[in-house]
Amino acid sequence: MFPSVGALLLLLLCPGPSHGRSPQIRSEALKRLLEVFGMEDAPQSPVATRQPPQYMLDLYHTVTGADGVTKQPELLLGNTVRSFLDRARNQRLEFFFNLSSVAKSETILAAELHLFKLRGRLSQDLRQHRHLFCQVSVYQILDNNTSKAEGKRLLSTRILPVHDNTWEVFTITNAVYDWTQNKESNKGLLVIVQTLAGHKLHNYIRFATGRDHHSSKHPMVVLFTDDERRGTATFTSRETPFIREVTLHDKASQSRNTRSANLLGCLRYPLYVDFEEIGWSGWIISPRGYNAYHCKGACVFPLGQNMRPTNHATVQSIINALKLTKGVATPCCIPDKLFSINLLYFDDDENVVLKQYDDMVAGSCGCR
Ligand SMILES: *[C@@H]1O[C@H](CO)[C@@H](O)[C@H](O)[C@H]1NC(C)=O
Ligand SMILES: *[C@@H]1O[C@H](CO)[C@@H](O)[C@H](O)[C@H]1NC(C)=O
Ligand SMILES: *[C@@H]1O[C@H](CO)[C@@H](O)[C@H](O)[C@H]1NC(C)=O
């Protein structure tokens, strides 16, 4: 049977008997935990070497509350957001993004090209125009010779003030869909800037490049996907559930208190997952860890409403107490509400990824 996340975490983090656990069991448990996070191996990109894009940090903080718990799940399209920085270092208005880290199984929901537009350098000619707008068009490159009509495909076109000095976002979903279906088809993107009359404006309108400008202005593709992993019982943290919780700070006292825990009934206890302790702080940008909580305690007759019993659990506890039928155990104390968490991390290609994982935090415990 596949162990629950809670069981894995207890195996990795709990004091007491686990001190004597063999390295094999620990490494097997870590491997299983990586599977829970949808990975075969821990990514190798060290966090310390690069600054994550501000857009990804802002997005993470918008959808995530304290300790990594999801606060606004409806803001994200799907459960994964990937960012890719431009890898083309030659031409000013050609861009290349290596999307090889996107799994074939991921559903592409939307893709955006983020370009930082620099203030236009206007010639005498252009200064005379009263309306200082330009038309910026983003094309998918299909062929070496983009001068030919069939050499490129129009993805998105916008009219922008020449003087703007800010991020511009273009939808490029169709191109990214092609690229993830067939890697060979990725020949990059071409940006063409024109006056509203259709004249080329390339020397006047510029976008920040990875080579010539600060890393905070690098051209970037942001990809919203879904990997179809779904939990069964996710709630948002805004639906504050009824929580009975006992805080036991001292780990040693936790095992000493097992007997008294049984007397207290089914309760939620802290279980902090420290990514540094697990050895994952090298690639996870945020959070540093999260509180998964765990459920502990006896579900013995009579089950009060504070134990949140199902009717089935109530009947089972009665049968158990009256010993009407042999071999009927007491109901189990388990999470009956689970929250999702978000992780912001560097993948193997040093791209920053935001992923949402369902059913990671016990929101409340009940007798089931
Ligand atoms: C894209 O990245 C992968 C993995 O890092 C690499 O193997 C591949 O050669 C890259 N492709 C291009 C076209 O740069
Ligand atoms: C594109 O250029 C490469 C070499 O630069 C050439 O081998 C190839 O035939 C060209 N493709 C087309 C469609 O012109
Ligand atoms: C690209 O296509 C244009 C238009 O068909 C043609 O005039 C030009 O010579 C081509 N350039 C190259 C390098 O093949």
mmCIF file with all atom_site columns, all heavy atoms in Angstrom, residues 238-253:
data_model
loop_
_atom_site.group_PDB
_atom_site.id
_atom_site.type_symbol
_atom_site.label_atom_id
_atom_site.label_alt_id
_atom_site.label_comp_id
_atom_site.label_asym_id
_atom_site.label_entity_id
_atom_site.label_seq_id
_atom_site.pdbx_PDB_ins_code
_atom_site.Cartn_x
_atom_site.Cartn_y
_atom_site.Cartn_z
_atom_site.occupancy
_atom_site.B_iso_or_equiv
_atom_site.pdbx_formal_charge
_atom_site.auth_seq_id
_atom_site.auth_comp_id
_atom_site.auth_asym_id
_atom_site.auth_atom_id
_atom_site.pdbx_PDB_model_num
ATOM 1   N N   . ARG A 1 238 ? -9.133  29.387 3.618  1.00 0.00 ? 238 ARG A N   1
ATOM 2   C CA  . ARG A 1 238 ? -10.090 30.399 4.051  1.00 0.00 ? 238 ARG A CA  1
ATOM 3   C C   . ARG A 1 238 ? -11.347 29.777 4.653  1.00 0.00 ? 238 ARG A C   1
ATOM 4   O O   . ARG A 1 238 ? -12.041 30.381 5.431  1.00 0.00 ? 238 ARG A O   1
ATOM 5   C CB  . ARG A 1 238 ? -10.451 31.316 2.882  1.00 0.00 ? 238 ARG A CB  1
ATOM 6   C CG  . ARG A 1 238 ? -9.403  32.395 2.672  1.00 0.00 ? 238 ARG A CG  1
ATOM 7   C CD  . ARG A 1 238 ? -9.773  33.262 1.530  1.00 0.00 ? 238 ARG A CD  1
ATOM 8   N NE  . ARG A 1 238 ? -9.999  32.440 0.351  1.00 0.00 ? 238 ARG A NE  1
ATOM 9   C CZ  . ARG A 1 238 ? -10.463 32.915 -0.771 1.00 0.00 ? 238 ARG A CZ  1
ATOM 10  N NH1 . ARG A 1 238 ? -10.777 34.159 -0.878 1.00 0.00 ? 238 ARG A NH1 1
ATOM 11  N NH2 . ARG A 1 238 ? -10.614 32.132 -1.805 1.00 0.00 ? 238 ARG A NH2 1
ATOM 12  N N   . GLU A 1 239 ? -11.650 28.526 4.229  1.00 0.00 ? 239 GLU A N   1
ATOM 13  C CA  . GLU A 1 239 ? -12.743 27.816 4.878  1.00 0.00 ? 239 GLU A CA  1
ATOM 14  C C   . GLU A 1 239 ? -12.190 27.301 6.196  1.00 0.00 ? 239 GLU A C   1
ATOM 15  O O   . GLU A 1 239 ? -11.747 26.177 6.287  1.00 0.00 ? 239 GLU A O   1
ATOM 16  C CB  . GLU A 1 239 ? -13.166 26.593 4.075  1.00 0.00 ? 239 GLU A CB  1
ATOM 17  C CG  . GLU A 1 239 ? -13.610 26.854 2.675  1.00 0.00 ? 239 GLU A CG  1
ATOM 18  C CD  . GLU A 1 239 ? -13.707 25.540 1.920  1.00 0.00 ? 239 GLU A CD  1
ATOM 19  O OE1 . GLU A 1 239 ? -14.167 24.548 2.505  1.00 0.00 ? 239 GLU A OE1 1
ATOM 20  O OE2 . GLU A 1 239 ? -13.305 25.491 0.758  1.00 0.00 ? 239 GLU A OE2 1
ATOM 21  N N   . THR A 1 240 ? -12.178 28.154 7.201  1.00 0.00 ? 240 THR A N   1
ATOM 22  C CA  . THR A 1 240 ? -11.547 27.755 8.448  1.00 0.00 ? 240 THR A CA  1
ATOM 23  C C   . THR A 1 240 ? -12.331 26.604 9.070  1.00 0.00 ? 240 THR A C   1
ATOM 24  O O   . THR A 1 240 ? -13.489 26.778 9.436  1.00 0.00 ? 240 THR A O   1
ATOM 25  C CB  . THR A 1 240 ? -11.501 28.930 9.421  1.00 0.00 ? 240 THR A CB  1
ATOM 26  O OG1 . THR A 1 240 ? -11.045 30.055 8.689  1.00 0.00 ? 240 THR A OG1 1
ATOM 27  C CG2 . THR A 1 240 ? -10.565 28.647 10.571 1.00 0.00 ? 240 THR A CG2 1
ATOM 28  N N   . PRO A 1 241 ? -11.724 25.447 9.143  1.00 0.00 ? 241 PRO A N   1
ATOM 29  C CA  . PRO A 1 241 ? -12.449 24.328 9.721  1.00 0.00 ? 241 PRO A CA  1
ATOM 30  C C   . PRO A 1 241 ? -12.396 24.410 11.232 1.00 0.00 ? 241 PRO A C   1
ATOM 31  O O   . PRO A 1 241 ? -11.630 25.183 11.803 1.00 0.00 ? 241 PRO A O   1
ATOM 32  C CB  . PRO A 1 241 ? -11.674 23.123 9.224  1.00 0.00 ? 241 PRO A CB  1
ATOM 33  C CG  . PRO A 1 241 ? -10.288 23.631 9.075  1.00 0.00 ? 241 PRO A CG  1
ATOM 34  C CD  . PRO A 1 241 ? -10.376 25.086 8.750  1.00 0.00 ? 241 PRO A CD  1
ATOM 35  N N   . PHE A 1 242 ? -13.223 23.618 11.865 1.00 0.00 ? 242 PHE A N   1
ATOM 36  C CA  . PHE A 1 242 ? -13.177 23.518 13.307 1.00 0.00 ? 242 PHE A CA  1
ATOM 37  C C   . PHE A 1 242 ? -11.910 22.761 13.662 1.00 0.00 ? 242 PHE A C   1
ATOM 38  O O   . PHE A 1 242 ? -11.700 21.646 13.213 1.00 0.00 ? 242 PHE A O   1
ATOM 39  C CB  . PHE A 1 242 ? -14.417 22.757 13.774 1.00 0.00 ? 242 PHE A CB  1
ATOM 40  C CG  . PHE A 1 242 ? -14.391 22.470 15.233 1.00 0.00 ? 242 PHE A CG  1
ATOM 41  C CD1 . PHE A 1 242 ? -14.834 23.419 16.137 1.00 0.00 ? 242 PHE A CD1 1
ATOM 42  C CD2 . PHE A 1 242 ? -13.921 21.260 15.708 1.00 0.00 ? 242 PHE A CD2 1
ATOM 43  C CE1 . PHE A 1 242 ? -14.812 23.151 17.489 1.00 0.00 ? 242 PHE A CE1 1
ATOM 44  C CE2 . PHE A 1 242 ? -13.898 20.999 17.063 1.00 0.00 ? 242 PHE A CE2 1
ATOM 45  C CZ  . PHE A 1 242 ? -14.349 21.945 17.959 1.00 0.00 ? 242 PHE A CZ  1
ATOM 46  N N   . ILE A 1 243 ? -11.028 23.379 14.414 1.00 0.00 ? 243 ILE A N   1
ATOM 47  C CA  . ILE A 1 243 ? -9.749  22.733 14.687 1.00 0.00 ? 243 ILE A CA  1
ATOM 48  C C   . ILE A 1 243 ? -9.529  22.595 16.179 1.00 0.00 ? 243 ILE A C   1
ATOM 49  O O   . ILE A 1 243 ? -9.502  23.583 16.911 1.00 0.00 ? 243 ILE A O   1
ATOM 50  C CB  . ILE A 1 243 ? -8.590  23.536 14.059 1.00 0.00 ? 243 ILE A CB  1
ATOM 51  C CG1 . ILE A 1 243 ? -8.691  23.456 12.533 1.00 0.00 ? 243 ILE A CG1 1
ATOM 52  C CG2 . ILE A 1 243 ? -7.245  22.990 14.509 1.00 0.00 ? 243 ILE A CG2 1
ATOM 53  C CD1 . ILE A 1 243 ? -7.741  24.386 11.832 1.00 0.00 ? 243 ILE A CD1 1
ATOM 54  N N   . ARG A 1 244 ? -9.399  21.376 16.618 1.00 0.00 ? 244 ARG A N   1
ATOM 55  C CA  . ARG A 1 244 ? -8.938  21.156 17.991 1.00 0.00 ? 244 ARG A CA  1
ATOM 56  C C   . ARG A 1 244 ? -7.482  20.792 17.860 1.00 0.00 ? 244 ARG A C   1
ATOM 57  O O   . ARG A 1 244 ? -7.123  19.884 17.139 1.00 0.00 ? 244 ARG A O   1
ATOM 58  C CB  . ARG A 1 244 ? -9.680  20.007 18.640 1.00 0.00 ? 244 ARG A CB  1
ATOM 59  C CG  . ARG A 1 244 ? -11.122 20.296 18.947 1.00 0.00 ? 244 ARG A CG  1
ATOM 60  C CD  . ARG A 1 244 ? -11.766 19.057 19.512 1.00 0.00 ? 244 ARG A CD  1
ATOM 61  N NE  . ARG A 1 244 ? -11.373 18.833 20.901 1.00 0.00 ? 244 ARG A NE  1
ATOM 62  C CZ  . ARG A 1 244 ? -11.184 17.640 21.410 1.00 0.00 ? 244 ARG A CZ  1
ATOM 63  N NH1 . ARG A 1 244 ? -11.255 16.572 20.659 1.00 0.00 ? 244 ARG A NH1 1
ATOM 64  N NH2 . ARG A 1 244 ? -10.864 17.500 22.688 1.00 0.00 ? 244 ARG A NH2 1
ATOM 65  N N   . GLU A 1 245 ? -6.666  21.517 18.549 1.00 0.00 ? 245 GLU A N   1
ATOM 66  C CA  . GLU A 1 245 ? -5.256  21.324 18.329 1.00 0.00 ? 245 GLU A CA  1
ATOM 67  C C   . GLU A 1 245 ? -4.520  21.413 19.646 1.00 0.00 ? 245 GLU A C   1
ATOM 68  O O   . GLU A 1 245 ? -4.819  22.238 20.490 1.00 0.00 ? 245 GLU A O   1
ATOM 69  C CB  . GLU A 1 245 ? -4.757  22.427 17.397 1.00 0.00 ? 245 GLU A CB  1
ATOM 70  C CG  . GLU A 1 245 ? -3.305  22.350 17.102 1.00 0.00 ? 245 GLU A CG  1
ATOM 71  C CD  . GLU A 1 245 ? -2.930  23.528 16.247 1.00 0.00 ? 245 GLU A CD  1
ATOM 72  O OE1 . GLU A 1 245 ? -3.704  23.862 15.332 1.00 0.00 ? 245 GLU A OE1 1
ATOM 73  O OE2 . GLU A 1 245 ? -1.896  24.125 16.518 1.00 0.00 ? 245 GLU A OE2 1
ATOM 74  N N   . VAL A 1 246 ? -3.565  20.530 19.817 1.00 0.00 ? 246 VAL A N   1
ATOM 75  C CA  . VAL A 1 246 ? -2.735  20.579 21.008 1.00 0.00 ? 246 VAL A CA  1
ATOM 76  C C   . VAL A 1 246 ? -1.325  20.904 20.555 1.00 0.00 ? 246 VAL A C   1
ATOM 77  O O   . VAL A 1 246 ? -0.818  20.308 19.607 1.00 0.00 ? 246 VAL A O   1
ATOM 78  C CB  . VAL A 1 246 ? -2.764  19.225 21.734 1.00 0.00 ? 246 VAL A CB  1
ATOM 79  C CG1 . VAL A 1 246 ? -1.716  19.180 22.818 1.00 0.00 ? 246 VAL A CG1 1
ATOM 80  C CG2 . VAL A 1 246 ? -4.149  18.996 22.330 1.00 0.00 ? 246 VAL A CG2 1
ATOM 81  N N   . THR A 1 247 ? -0.718  21.893 21.136 1.00 0.00 ? 247 THR A N   1
ATOM 82  C CA  . THR A 1 247 ? 0.636   22.249 20.727 1.00 0.00 ? 247 THR A CA  1
ATOM 83  C C   . THR A 1 247 ? 1.640   21.660 21.705 1.00 0.00 ? 247 THR A C   1
ATOM 84  O O   . THR A 1 247 ? 1.656   21.997 22.873 1.00 0.00 ? 247 THR A O   1
ATOM 85  C CB  . THR A 1 247 ? 0.793   23.775 20.663 1.00 0.00 ? 247 THR A CB  1
ATOM 86  O OG1 . THR A 1 247 ? -0.280  24.276 19.887 1.00 0.00 ? 247 THR A OG1 1
ATOM 87  C CG2 . THR A 1 247 ? 2.097   24.159 20.024 1.00 0.00 ? 247 THR A CG2 1
ATOM 88  N N   . LEU A 1 248 ? 2.417   20.750 21.215 1.00 0.00 ? 248 LEU A N   1
ATOM 89  C CA  . LEU A 1 248 ? 3.467   20.150 22.024 1.00 0.00 ? 248 LEU A CA  1
ATOM 90  C C   . LEU A 1 248 ? 4.786   20.548 21.410 1.00 0.00 ? 248 LEU A C   1
ATOM 91  O O   . LEU A 1 248 ? 5.180   20.033 20.379 1.00 0.00 ? 248 LEU A O   1
ATOM 92  C CB  . LEU A 1 248 ? 3.332   18.623 22.030 1.00 0.00 ? 248 LEU A CB  1
ATOM 93  C CG  . LEU A 1 248 ? 2.061   18.078 22.669 1.00 0.00 ? 248 LEU A CG  1
ATOM 94  C CD1 . LEU A 1 248 ? 1.977   16.584 22.453 1.00 0.00 ? 248 LEU A CD1 1
ATOM 95  C CD2 . LEU A 1 248 ? 2.012   18.396 24.148 1.00 0.00 ? 248 LEU A CD2 1
ATOM 96  N N   . HIS A 1 249 ? 5.455   21.515 21.991 1.00 0.00 ? 249 HIS A N   1
ATOM 97  C CA  . HIS A 1 249 ? 6.678   22.041 21.380 1.00 0.00 ? 249 HIS A CA  1
ATOM 98  C C   . HIS A 1 249 ? 7.822   21.068 21.487 1.00 0.00 ? 249 HIS A C   1
ATOM 99  O O   . HIS A 1 249 ? 8.574   20.854 20.553 1.00 0.00 ? 249 HIS A O   1
ATOM 100 C CB  . HIS A 1 249 ? 7.056   23.369 22.031 1.00 0.00 ? 249 HIS A CB  1
ATOM 101 C CG  . HIS A 1 249 ? 6.069   24.436 21.742 1.00 0.00 ? 249 HIS A CG  1
ATOM 102 N ND1 . HIS A 1 249 ? 5.926   24.968 20.490 1.00 0.00 ? 249 HIS A ND1 1
ATOM 103 C CD2 . HIS A 1 249 ? 5.136   25.029 22.520 1.00 0.00 ? 249 HIS A CD2 1
ATOM 104 C CE1 . HIS A 1 249 ? 4.952   25.870 20.513 1.00 0.00 ? 249 HIS A CE1 1
ATOM 105 N NE2 . HIS A 1 249 ? 4.450   25.916 21.736 1.00 0.00 ? 249 HIS A NE2 1
ATOM 106 N N   . ASP A 1 250 ? 7.949   20.478 22.662 1.00 0.00 ? 250 ASP A N   1
ATOM 107 C CA  . ASP A 1 250 ? 9.090   19.621 22.917 1.00 0.00 ? 250 ASP A CA  1
ATOM 108 C C   . ASP A 1 250 ? 8.843   18.244 22.303 1.00 0.00 ? 250 ASP A C   1
ATOM 109 O O   . ASP A 1 250 ? 7.893   17.555 22.656 1.00 0.00 ? 250 ASP A O   1
ATOM 110 C CB  . ASP A 1 250 ? 9.288   19.531 24.436 1.00 0.00 ? 250 ASP A CB  1
ATOM 111 C CG  . ASP A 1 250 ? 10.349  18.535 24.811 1.00 0.00 ? 250 ASP A CG  1
ATOM 112 O OD1 . ASP A 1 250 ? 11.132  18.166 23.925 1.00 0.00 ? 250 ASP A OD1 1
ATOM 113 O OD2 . ASP A 1 250 ? 10.377  18.140 25.988 1.00 0.00 ? 250 ASP A OD2 1
ATOM 114 N N   . LYS A 1 251 ? 9.682   17.884 21.343 1.00 0.00 ? 251 LYS A N   1
ATOM 115 C CA  . LYS A 1 251 ? 9.479   16.624 20.629 1.00 0.00 ? 251 LYS A CA  1
ATOM 116 C C   . LYS A 1 251 ? 9.486   15.427 21.582 1.00 0.00 ? 251 LYS A C   1
ATOM 117 O O   . LYS A 1 251 ? 8.726   14.493 21.428 1.00 0.00 ? 251 LYS A O   1
ATOM 118 C CB  . LYS A 1 251 ? 10.570  16.430 19.576 1.00 0.00 ? 251 LYS A CB  1
ATOM 119 C CG  . LYS A 1 251 ? 10.313  17.198 18.300 1.00 0.00 ? 251 LYS A CG  1
ATOM 120 C CD  . LYS A 1 251 ? 11.372  16.871 17.279 1.00 0.00 ? 251 LYS A CD  1
ATOM 121 C CE  . LYS A 1 251 ? 11.067  17.550 15.946 1.00 0.00 ? 251 LYS A CE  1
ATOM 122 N NZ  . LYS A 1 251 ? 12.126  17.290 14.984 1.00 0.00 ? 251 LYS A NZ  1
ATOM 123 N N   . ALA A 1 252 ? 10.384  15.466 22.593 1.00 0.00 ? 252 ALA A N   1
ATOM 124 C CA  . ALA A 1 252 ? 10.505  14.330 23.500 1.00 0.00 ? 252 ALA A CA  1
ATOM 125 C C   . ALA A 1 252 ? 9.212   14.133 24.283 1.00 0.00 ? 252 ALA A C   1
ATOM 126 O O   . ALA A 1 252 ? 8.791   12.999 24.521 1.00 0.00 ? 252 ALA A O   1
ATOM 127 C CB  . ALA A 1 252 ? 11.670  14.537 24.452 1.00 0.00 ? 252 ALA A CB  1
ATOM 128 N N   . SER A 1 253 ? 8.580   15.253 24.626 1.00 0.00 ? 253 SER A N   1
ATOM 129 C CA  . SER A 1 253 ? 7.372   15.129 25.437 1.00 0.00 ? 253 SER A CA  1
ATOM 130 C C   . SER A 1 253 ? 6.245   14.484 24.627 1.00 0.00 ? 253 SER A C   1
ATOM 131 O O   . SER A 1 253 ? 5.297   13.963 25.184 1.00 0.00 ? 253 SER A O   1
ATOM 132 C CB  . SER A 1 253 ? 6.929   16.498 25.941 1.00 0.00 ? 253 SER A CB  1
ATOM 133 O OG  . SER A 1 253 ? 6.374   17.241 24.875 1.00 0.00 ? 253 SER A OG  1
#
